[in-house]
Amino acid sequence: MTKGTTRNLSAVIAGGIFLLALPLFLKSPYFLHMLIMTMLAIIYAVTLRPLVITGQLSLAHAAFVGIGAYASALLVTRLGISFWLALPMSGLIAALIAVIIGFPALRAKGLFFAIVTFGFTEVARYTYMGVTSLFGGPAGFRGITPPVLAGIQFGGNKVAYYYLMAFLLTITLLAWYSLEKSRFMLTVRAIGKAENLAEAVGVNLTKYKMVTFVFAAFFTGIAGSFYAHYNLYIAPINFSVWQSIAFLTLVVVGGKERFIGPIVGAIFLTFIPEFLHGTGYFQAMLYGGLMVLTVLFMPNGLIGIPGQIAALTSRLRKVRKAGWPFSKPAS
Amino acid sequence: MAFLETSKLTKRFAGLLAVNHLDLTVNDGEVLGLIGPNGAGKTTVFNLIAGTIPATGGKVIFRGEDISRLPPYQVARRGIIRTFQLNTVFPDLSVTENVVLGSHLQARTGFWGELFKMPATRRSDREIAGRAEQLVASVGLLRQDMDKRQALASNLSYGQVKALTLAIALAADPKLLLLDEPMTGVGVRDVPRLLNLIREINGRGIAILLIEHNMKAAFEVCHRIVVMNHGDKIAEGTPAEVKDNPDVIEAYLTKDGHGA
């Protein structure tokens, strides 16, 4: 246990140094953009995973990104609040809305919860489209200003954005990894395995689901705020149900059983298709196809592959030992 | 005063009267058996007491408090812990993790303490882990090879799963245990061991309400027995009284095959 923790810690430190040093060598704005988008995807996937574990298939994740993005855009451009204040405030606003919709929505389970959150995401999207005076309508919200920090202009400065994103990602991962090894996540996993038993030993299911939902919305809202002030333009189409489904794909394809799973899924599905010069259509096909393949052949996702290979080779070895094909294979 | 008391407890599923005006009393420190043919409504009674499903009518009083409308986790908080016929343990989690989950109510720290790894949280977690180890041992689980406590619950034998079920329930620090068919599927040699375990748990002052199909085992371990058929209570008394009750014999004979 301690050995594993030390190893994990050194891996994290090595990874952190690598990520911090990366812009010193790679100055390609395109490459930095890809890294930033990947880190955003990691935030979405890591925060969504605990909900998937409890069996609550949330399609509201993109809505919370949108709430964070629009809230931040409004706070900065209309009220003149500093981006650095709007960033955490967007998270809080997303979390507050998660509390409000969580109370009715979390009573529903599985497919019903998916339908309720689907509805919520659509309502949010149509609100941005309908209330043109506030949200800019279908044409989107223009004129979002880039952040400035101690004289550093973020506009056109991908390296500055990169470091800000790396910072936000680090905070997010630290928070969720801290929970990962706690009794909280153990209980969350238990709810996913046997909800009735968890309830029978005194677990307040709604409370646990609510905390997971709201905590995820907080970090997602912050990511949304970053996105708005990075892209400098947001539109309702960016926060649709399809986006939510893409986030679920990151978790399922990566593998929900371990913390690293959604991270692997996010890297694999954001970074790699881009290098294959994927157009939108190709990417959608890849997501769909991978989702199907994963569900059919890799129940534990990409991170489950080594285990599956190990199981397969040990079975082959047993079969060979038993003298296959001439005698009955050992099972 | 009665420890647990149901009065006129009724559950109707559409046209079916699953439990009909049931008056049931569990006394402090007692092992009460609830028996009856399949479909008699025994598990429904458990679901009603534990708050898993709402009653159509009647009341459940526990230690003087009306708990009829409480959700399951609130009932658990009052000290009534139930087990299930299926889903008895958390699969794919280790034996120790299973028992730690049972101690949920004993944990004294919340979300923020766990997020920031507060000292109080660490202390509480350590205490709970220590207690879990003791409980695993106290139900006689894997005494021979302790390494296996890290083993997944899904790899245990049937008898071991039953013992783990009890360990989880005990970890919740119950005042009243509701055991739903603890003997079902257990090997013949494991039955006396489980009976001893139930007696030992009762010896700690925990009252037990027990649903059991294994008549021999139920008659052996219970102080009193209530017999149900088609949602009605048809007999109540000591094992000896119930055994010779003509209504009971009738109920079992017409359903054929559950006597032992």
Side-chain angles (χ1 to χ4, degrees):
Chain A
M1 173 104 189
T2 359
K3 202 176 163 192
T5 316
T6 322
R7 206 177 51 205
N8 280 347
L9 196 68
S10 18
V12 167
I13 291 170
I17 292 172
F18 174 73
L19 282 177
L20 277 181
L22 209 55
L24 301 178
F25 307 106
L26 288 159
K27 293 192 194 303
S28 146
Y30 173 70
F31 191 70
L32 285 173
H33 170 72
M34 279 320 301
L35 284 176
I36 289 168
M37 294 315 277
T38 307
M39 288 193 277
L40 268 173
I42 292 175
I43 294 182
Y44 301 146
V46 166
T47 54
L48 183 57
R49 170 176 160 265
L51 271 172
V52 176
I53 290 177
T54 62
Q56 304 291 100
L57 286 184
S58 174
L59 292 175
H61 222 55
F64 291 121
V65 180
I67 289 165
Y70 275 97
S72 184
L74 284 169
L75 285 172
V76 173
T77 59
R78 297 289 166 89
L79 299 180
I81 289 172
S82 155
F83 165 76
W84 304 104
L85 202 60
L87 186 74
M89 276 171 79
S90 313
L92 289 175
I93 291 168
L96 187 72
I97 292 176
V99 172
I100 294 165
I101 78 147
F103 267 111
L106 286 167
R107 286 167 180 273
K109 286 177 197 167
L111 193 59
F112 295 101
F113 180 76
I115 292 168
V116 173
T117 49
F118 179 107
F120 169 69
T121 306
E122 284 302 278
V123 167
R125 191 164 71 87
Y126 277 94
T127 309
Y128 308 140
M129 296 214 288
V131 189
T132 315
S133 56
L134 202 59
F135 301 114
F141 197 119
R142 290 172 194 285
I144 304 171
T145 47
V148 182
L149 180 69
I152 301 168
Q153 293 285 341
F154 278 60
N157 184 351
K158 284 268 191 301
V159 176
Y161 276 116
Y162 174 87
Y163 281 119
L164 174 59
M165 188 67 246
F167 172 73
L168 294 177
L169 177 68
T170 308
I171 301 278
T172 309
L173 290 182
L174 279 177
W176 289 84
Y177 190 73
S178 168
L179 285 178
E180 185 65 18
K181 298 287 165 193
S182 73
R183 212 190 51 246
F184 181 85
M185 268 308 283
L186 181 62
T187 312
V188 163
R189 276 160 65 212
I191 291 171
K193 309 272 183 213
E195 201 169 273
N196 53 355
L197 185 56
E199 208 175 16
V201 294
V203 175
N204 182 348
L205 299 179
T206 314
K207 184 180 136 192
Y208 272 81
K209 288 175 182 174
M210 183 63 110
V211 170
T212 325
F213 191 57
V214 171
F215 204 52
F218 175 72
F219 285 96
T220 318
I222 288 180
S225 165
F226 173 92
Y227 175 77
H229 294 267
Y230 172 66
N231 212 37
L232 305 182
Y233 162 72
I234 49 174
I237 194 73
N238 299 135
F239 314 111
S240 71
V241 163
W242 297 111
Q243 204 60 40
S244 287
I245 293 174
F247 297 159
L248 279 174
T249 313
L250 303 180
V251 179
V252 173
V253 170
K256 70 175 159 58
E257 293 303 325
R258 287 171 56 200
F259 189 77
I260 192 83
I263 300 177
V264 171
I267 294 172
F268 190 78
L269 284 173
T270 323
F271 215 51
I272 292 170
E274 213 50 48
F275 279 97
L276 300 173
H277 297 285
T279 66
Y281 282 113
F282 177 72
Q283 190 149 335
M285 273 167 63
L286 185 81
Y287 273 47
L290 267 169
M291 188 81 140
V292 172
L293 284 176
T294 309
V295 170
L296 287 181
F297 302 114
M298 306 184 291
N300 294 325
L302 291 171
I303 55 157
I305 292 177
Q308 280 184 315
I309 291 174
L312 198 68
T313 45
S314 90
R315 241 177 73 188
L316 277 177
R317 209 171 296 137
K318 265 188 204 155
V319 168
R320 200 161 291 157
K321 223 181 238 169
W324 186 82
F326 303 108
S327 59
K328 213 172 158 215
S331 62
Chain B
M1 190 183 69
F3 199 53
L4 177 90
E5 194 175 6
T6 71
S7 76
K8 298 195 174 59
L9 192 62
T10 303
K11 181 66 193 183
R12 192 186 289 278
F13 292 111
L16 178 80
L17 195 57
V19 177
N20 184 16
H21 290 80
L22 181 74
D23 293 329
L24 193 78
T25 306
V26 184
N27 297 314
D28 201 353
E30 164 179 67
V31 181
L32 180 70
L34 187 58
I35 66 170
N38 278 336
K42 306 180 297 288
T43 299
T44 307
V45 172
F46 268 27
N47 286 334
L48 293 173
I49 295 174
T52 316
I53 54 173
T56 315
K59 274 183 182 170
V60 183
I61 313 282
F62 183 59
R63 309 214 307 165
E65 185 192 3
D66 185 352
I67 60 163
S68 323
R69 301 262 168 260
L70 294 182
Y73 76 92
Q74 288 283 4
V75 174
R77 235 161 249 198
R78 303 290 190 282
I80 300 180
I81 302 296
R82 72 171 298 185
T83 66
F84 294 86
Q85 284 179 50
L86 303 169
N87 274 344
T88 54
V89 299
F90 300 104
D92 305 320
L93 295 181
S94 81
V95 170
T96 317
E97 282 174 330
N98 264 275
V99 183
V100 165
L101 282 163
S103 318
H104 179 80
L105 293 171
Q106 273 64 54
R108 283 180 303 275
T109 52
F111 177 74
W112 298 109
E114 296 183 52
L115 179 62
F116 295 110
K117 302 264 175 269
M118 307 282 204
T121 305
R122 286 164 185 269
R123 217 178 309 126
S124 170
D125 282 355
R126 260 201 309 274
E127 276 169 28
I128 283 172
R131 242 189 99 214
E133 300 276 305
Q134 284 173 8
L135 277 164
V136 167
S138 83
V139 296
L141 202 60
L142 311 165
R143 207 175 288 160
Q144 293 83 8
D145 49 351
M146 297 297 248
D147 310 340
K148 281 221 182 126
R149 273 176 303 180
Q150 291 310 316
L152 296 183
S154 13
N155 298 337
L156 297 179
S157 80
Y158 217 86
Q160 287 170 326
V161 166
K162 293 288 178 174
L164 180 57
T165 305
L166 287 176
I168 296 170
L170 285 178
D173 204 7
K175 297 187 173 74
L176 171 66
L177 262 184
L178 311 182
L179 302 179
D180 199 346
E181 298 197 18
M183 309 294 167
T184 305
V186 172
V188 186
R189 274 179 303 151
D190 285 337
V191 169
R193 272 182 42 197
L194 262 175
L195 284 180
N196 277 335
L197 195 54
I198 291 172
R199 274 198 207 95
E200 200 222 309
I201 291 167
N202 181 237
R204 299 180 204 175
I206 298 167
I208 295 172
L209 178 56
L210 177 82
I211 293 179
E212 192 45 69
H213 265 311
N214 183 336
M215 292 302 157
K216 207 163 150 258
F219 285 141
E220 210 175 302
V221 77
C222 295
H223 300 125
R224 283 193 313 130
I225 284 179
V226 168
V227 189
M228 286 181 74
N229 195 20
H230 299 303
D232 293 312
K233 178 164 83 177
I234 59 167
E236 182 170 7
T238 63
E241 286 166 5
V242 164
K243 213 182 287 185
D244 300 325
N245 186 312
D247 290 341
V248 177
I249 295 166
E250 164 89 17
Y252 274 91
L253 280 180
T254 51
K255 285 269 182 176
D256 64 81
H258 283 295

